[in-house]
Every structure is written in structure tokens, then in C-alpha cells.
Amino acid sequence: MRRGPAERHETSTERPEDFDAFWSAIMAEAATIPLNPSLEPVPLRSTPEVDVYEIGYDSLDRVRIAGWYCRPRASYLPPPYPGLLIVPGYISEPTLPKSWAKMGYAAVGVAPRGKLRSNQRYNPGYPGLLIDNIVDRHTYAYRGFYVDACRAVDFLLSRPEVDPVRIGVHGSSQGGALTVTTAALRSDAIRCGAAGAPYLCGFMDAAELTHSYPYEEINEYLRLHPEREPTVRLTVAYFDGVNFAPMIRCPMLVYVGLADDVCPPETGYDLVKAMRCSVDLHAYPRCAHDAGVYWEMPKIEAFLAEHLRPAAYTLHAEPTVG
Amino acid sequence: MAEDAPATRPPDFEAYWTRVDDELARYPAAPAQDYNPLRSTAFAASFDLRLTSIGPYRIFGFLSVPEGSGPFPALLVTPRYGSVNNPPHDDDRRRYVVLTLMHRGQRLADRPFAAAFPGLLTEGIEDPNAYVYRGIIADCVRGAEFLHSLPEVDRDRIGITGDDLAIMTAARRPIFAALHVQTASLLFYRLMEARARTSSYPIEEINDLLRAHPEREPAVARTVSYLDPLHHAPRVRASVLLPAGDPGALDGPEWLHPLADALGGQTETYGVTHEGGTDHDWIDAWMARHLGVDLRPRVWRID
């Protein structure tokens, strides 16, 4: 296969004129919904260093969102702690961010709607999420999904042991996408973000560049309904990371694999070109959807530690998977 | 150099698995193979497949069959540890009949049992006869039997890829020409030793359980010994690819050495580069060579 250099790619994503208004209205609607946070200790998964909790909170459409909350025991590291939101990949369940908590973070692993434990009222299935109501931006799957991740920031802000001026976000693949959207929509609270192999950037370009799932869901849908292409293109423009990028104000780290068949690297470059914040881009030749995490993980830890200053930053986290 | 060795094979190992085979034989697969227009293409037809496994329990599979006159080489993709498995990739659908299975508890096979993640690995783990993986292995074996029975499949060219589930399936049904083991995802290989060397999920599920209930360790160790790929390996007849990670890692060459020694088939190791594209293309080429199809590398050339 032959492709041009990823850095020379030009996105076909256009920013709708009412993009900001669209999201302002959604975030305003979300703000009217009480968070109603819950916190249940999970002794089975706690360790001498880390307390584990199962958490819940209300989000858009009153969907109850689940997550894991891991924080250092006060006897191991005293509060306050920087907060860290770990956002999941498309087919992954959120892992328990115990290794991040051991480093000194109060860390949430969130399960946005449709994921296990958050799927009682909304369950489009996998595959399926990417194209659920993709012809209508007002009911498209990611409208609530993005807000669910943002509300995890509110959960962290509700915790007295969390330092509200030290909150970051990190994930890869769909987690990379949610890192971008959360940093954009909660630019008031997020101090830094590390996004690997960012998905949901340049949706339509990506679907043209790959036959790997999840983007292949769009190809399948348009093979069956080719006449809906303009409507699909319009919908996803409202959810495109490239269009969220200019809203980010905090420092960002983006890393991509130059042979990523899942989230084409061209779209990672398009994302970075659209950012107005301070951003470091690390691109790994011959790496695929791993995005070079074997080499990148220490850099992610150092980047987050530089901005969030956890107490035990010399320890290491589990490698991030999308 | 090989590390210390490993868990003892239970004396009733063969009898345990023979009972699983016998139980599976009592239930007809009762396949329902429904055409899926959304996932079908000009080059391959796609089907939603449902089969009965032990329990009885209805499992699911994504089945893809190339257009044209077969028979075709085939590939069985055993389920990963998690709730979701992707449908077969375009590159594989062009070359093989592909069956990607969803075992009991995973999405599309989650009625009446919806597995928890984390949680599945320890579900019923104190009793070998109640352990959820007894049924999950049967699910994979059922899928292998079904794939082997398809008239579109060239029975001399069937490959299998996956973690421990692939090893155990290849051991229980020696119908495979090639087995690619996803060594970085092994669950049951030397598990009671491995758990002392990691705090990563899913193996951390065992640590969680035994931290809370240390007295249960003998029962847990007994149960997982029935699933250790080491004890299944001598029955494998396929050619085997074992990717090996860094020395000292849980997929490192010395850690895998006992498994490589025990495998009945011709075994080749590959030192992973950690470049996902490079590693994918090497493994794809290995399987393609063994099944007699074209390579489909994904690392592209930059003009």
C-alpha cells in the first residue's frame, strides 16, 4: 500500500458555524442535572496502598454512569491528590487505575454510556455505537458519551481530597478522542491531556483511509445507505476532535503510530494542526494502533507528572491500551 | 535458559476434559446462520452465527465466507478477555473463511449470563466443575467443530489465533494446520507463578481474590491447573508461532520456554519488536505462508 506522508494530509473536516453554540447548549443542559455522586468501597480490589471504589453519577438524559475510583490511602500518601481521568477505548472496559493511584493520583476510570455497568438505559452494542443515530446530531451516540466523560471531571471536583487545580486526562484510541473532547469542553478544569492514537478525528477521512474497525462501521453503513453520506458527514462534524481542538487551552501530548490502520496517523496530524494550545506530537514509524506506547509510556508519565505533580512520580503505571 | 517449572498436571486431567467433550457431544450445535447485509461486501458474505454449547448455552460468532468457488482456507479467532470482539478484518475476510467467536458472557452471547470485567477470571474458580472457563473452552471447541464442518472450508488449511483459548482449542480438536499464540495475553499459563510477578488486570483478579481469601489458594491453584496451556500443549499438532517479548517479561523467551518445549507441533518463536505494524505484518505473513494465501501487510509505503 502507498500513502503520502501523514504530516502533509489535509483534513476534509469542516467546522459547522454553530459548532460552539451546539455544544454550549448541551453543556448548559448537562449543568442543570444534579451529579448525585455515589461512592462504594470495593475492599476486594483494594490494596495496602490504594483504596478502590465503585462510583456512579448522573449524566445527560439522566443516564447513570459507572466508574472506578482509585486513590492512595492516606496512610500511604496523604492528600491532597492531583486528579486524573483515564478514558477507555472503543471495545475496552475501563480498567481500574490502581497503578496511577499508587503514583499518587486520585484516578477515575470511567465507563461512558453503553459500556458495561452504564448500559441499563442505553445499549447500542459493539459494533454499533459509532453509527447509532449517526444521521441526527441531536441524538447521536457520542452526544451523551462525550458528556459522560466530562461529568467524571465534576466527580473529581466533588472530592475533598482532590486538588481542583491539578486535574488531567489521558487515554488512547477512543480514550485519545475523549482526552481531546474533555480537555476542550472542560477547559476550565483540565490542566493537561495525553492522547494516544486519537480516534474520532477526521471521521470521514479516516473511514476512507482504513477498513479496520471501528471506522469500518461507517463504511458498512454507507455501503448500505450511500444516499445518507451528506447527512452522516454533517452529523460527525459536530463530534470531530479536529473541531474541538481549537477549544483546548492546556498543554497536550499527542502520540501516533505511523502505520496505525485503526486510527490513521493522517488524522492525528490533522488534529494537532488544529490545536492552538501548547502541544507535543510524537510519531512512531512502523508502529500501528499501539502508537509506540512501549517507548511512549515513560514520556506520558513524565508529562503528566510535570503538570500534575503526584507524590510518587518515580513509580510506573500500567501501559495504556485503547 | 528455562525458568523453574511449573504447575503440576492434575491426575484426572484427561478425565476432566473427556467429560467436557462428552457433555458437548450431547448437545447438537443447532447452528443458526443468518445473512448480515450490513457487513457483507462484494468479496465476502457475512453471517451472524449462533451455536449451542454446553450448559446448554447459546453462543455467537461473526462468520465471513469469501465469494467465489471454494473451498477456502479458514481462520478461527478465539475470544479475547473482555466483553467485545471486533468482527473479522477486511484483510482476513478476503483470504479466509473467518469465524470470530463470542464466548458465554460476552456481548452478543450475554443472555442469560453477562460477564463482569473484571470478574470473569474468578467466576466459580474454587471448583473446577463450576468454573466458567470450563464452559468457555467448550464454546471455543464448538466453534472449531462448526468451522471444520463447513463445506466452504478446506480442512487441510485451517488456522487459529488467540490466547490460551486457542491453545486449548487446538489441543482438544487437532484440526488446525497453524496456531498463532497471542503470548502477551496468556491468562492460565503458569498462572499461580505469574500472579506473583504482576499487578496488571486480568491476572490481578486472582491477586485480589487471594488477598481477601488467602485460604482459598489451594482450591484456586487446583482449578486453574486444568487450564494451564502447558498441560494441553502436547496434544497440539499444528505448527505454532510463539511471539516472545522482552527477557524477564511475562511473555519473555525464558518464561515461554517450557511451553515451547511442551508443544506437540513444530514451534517457531518470533522476537517481537514492539512496533505494532512490523509485528502484525510478520505474524500475518507467517499465517499466510502456512495456509497458502497472499500476504496482506498493513505497513504502507510513504511516497
Side-chain angles (χ1 to χ4, degrees), chain B residues 38 42 101 136 145 151 155 239 247:
Chain B
L38 182 68
L101 281 174
I136 288 173
E145 292 173 343
R155 294 182 175 188
S239 296

Side-chain angles (χ1 to χ4, degrees), chain B residues 22 28 213:
Chain B
D22 292 346
H213 305 286

Side-chain angles (χ1 to χ4, degrees), chain A residues 1-6 8 44-48 68 90-94 96 98 114-116 119 123 125-128 131 211-214 216-217 220-221 223-224 258-261 264-266 285-288 290 292 294-295 318, chain B residues 37-42 62 80 82-90 93-94 107-108 110 115-119 122 198-201 204-205 207-209 211-213 246 273-280 297-303:
Chain A
M1 184 191 295
R2 290 173 177 272
R3 298 252 280 265
R8 287 194 209 154
L44 178 71
R45 308 216 183 274
S46 298
T47 68
W68 301 106
Y90 190 75
I91 64 170
S92 311
E93 299 308 326
L96 284 79
K98 283 159 75 170
K115 296 255 177 219
L116 295 184
N119 58 358
N123 192 7
Y126 291 87
I131 57 169
H211 284 291
S212 294
Y213 288 93
E216 183 67 0
E217 289 185 33
E220 291 171 345
Y221 185 84
R223 210 160 40 230
L224 212 57
L258 290 177
D260 187 347
D261 61 297
E266 288 89 340
R286 297 174 300 281
C287 288
D290 56 292
Y294 179 79
W295 298 277
E318 300 298 336
Chain B
L38 182 68
R39 301 198 205 293
S40 293
T41 66
F62 293 115
R80 70 187 197 99
S83 67
V84 179
N85 299 291
N86 275 327
H89 193 278
D90 182 278
R93 299 183 64 204
R94 290 174 183 273
R107 283 177 189 264
L108 303 170
D110 56 357
F117 297 93
T122 55
T198 184
S199 56
S200 296
Y201 287 94
E204 178 72 357
E205 290 183 31
N207 291 329
D208 289 342
L209 177 70
R211 200 166 41 241
H213 305 286
D246 294 346
T273 66
H274 303 286
E275 295 172 349
T278 304
D279 293 336
H280 168 274
R298 291 192 197 158
V299 174
W300 49 83
R301 292 181 55 180
I302 309 295
D303 287 330

Side-chain angles (χ1 to χ4, degrees), chain A residues 12-311:
Chain A
S12 72
T13 299
E14 294 183 1
R15 198 166 198 263
E17 285 185 7
D18 62 342
F19 182 91
D20 292 327
F22 177 76
W23 279 103
S24 292
I26 292 171
M27 297 305 283
E29 182 184 344
T32 66
I33 300 169
L35 193 64
N36 293 326
S38 61
L39 188 76
E40 292 291 329
V42 185
L44 178 71
R45 308 216 183 274
S46 298
T47 68
E49 298 87 13
V50 174
D51 280 325
V52 176
Y53 301 87
E54 186 155 14
I55 64 167
Y57 54 83
D58 289 341
S59 184
L60 212 59
D61 315 313
R62 306 276 174 176
V63 172
R64 189 76 180 162
I65 301 303
W68 301 106
Y69 179 52
C70 301
R71 69 175 186 196
R73 287 185 191 243
S75 57
Y76 166 62
L77 295 172
Y81 311 115
L84 183 61
L85 173 57
I86 301 291
V87 272
Y90 190 75
I91 64 170
S92 311
E93 299 308 326
T95 53
L96 284 79
K98 283 159 75 170
S99 61
W100 290 104
K102 199 169 174 181
M103 294 169 70
Y105 294 98
V108 167
V110 64
R113 64 191 60 200
K115 296 255 177 219
L116 295 184
R117 301 181 300 132
S118 299
N119 58 358
Q120 292 85 356
R121 290 185 58 187
Y122 177 74
N123 192 7
Y126 291 87
L129 176 79
L130 179 59
I131 57 169
D132 190 50
N133 289 339
I134 198 169
V135 292
D136 174 20
R137 64 182 176 274
H138 297 293
T139 56
Y140 183 44
Y142 279 104
R143 172 180 171 273
F145 203 92
Y146 286 177
V147 173
D148 300 342
C150 290
R151 301 278 280 185
V153 177
D154 293 317
F155 174 85
L156 283 168
L157 289 170
S158 77
R159 298 302 311 164
E161 67 273 20
V162 172
D163 182 347
V165 299
R166 290 187 291 155
I167 295 180
V169 57
H170 168 50
S172 190
S173 189
Q174 182 181 261
L178 293 173
T179 296
V180 168
T181 57
T182 306
L185 290 169
R186 294 308 309 270
S187 61
D188 57 314
I190 298 296
R191 291 296 176 264
C192 64
Y199 173 54
L200 306 176
C201 294
F203 285 63
M204 303 304 281
D205 293 343
E208 278 187 21
L209 287 163
T210 185
H211 284 291
S212 294
Y213 288 93
Y215 282 123
E216 183 67 0
E217 289 185 33
I218 292 178
N219 292 327
E220 291 171 345
Y221 185 84
L222 293 178
R223 210 160 40 230
L224 212 57
H225 307 289
E227 75 287 357
R228 298 183 189 170
E229 197 271 351
T231 313
V232 168
R233 182 176 290 276
L234 177 61
T235 298
V236 299
Y238 286 89
F239 299 88
D240 198 310
V242 172
N243 288 335
F244 282 101
M247 299 162 63
I248 299 173
R249 297 206 296 262
C250 65
M252 295 290 287
L253 172 64
V254 178
Y255 55 101
V256 299
L258 290 177
D260 187 347
D261 61 297
V262 177
C263 297
E266 288 89 340
T267 59
Y269 276 95
D270 292 339
L271 167 73
V272 169
K273 284 182 219 168
M275 287 178 169
R276 301 290 174 264
C277 58
S278 162
V279 56
D280 285 336
L281 172 65
H282 298 159
Y284 291 89
R286 297 174 300 281
C287 288
H289 201 47
D290 56 292
V293 72
Y294 179 79
W295 298 277
E296 184 67 14
M297 201 65 214
K299 298 175 187 174
I300 297 165
E301 292 169 350
F303 171 81
L304 294 174
E306 176 191 348
H307 295 286
L308 302 176
R309 304 188 313 280

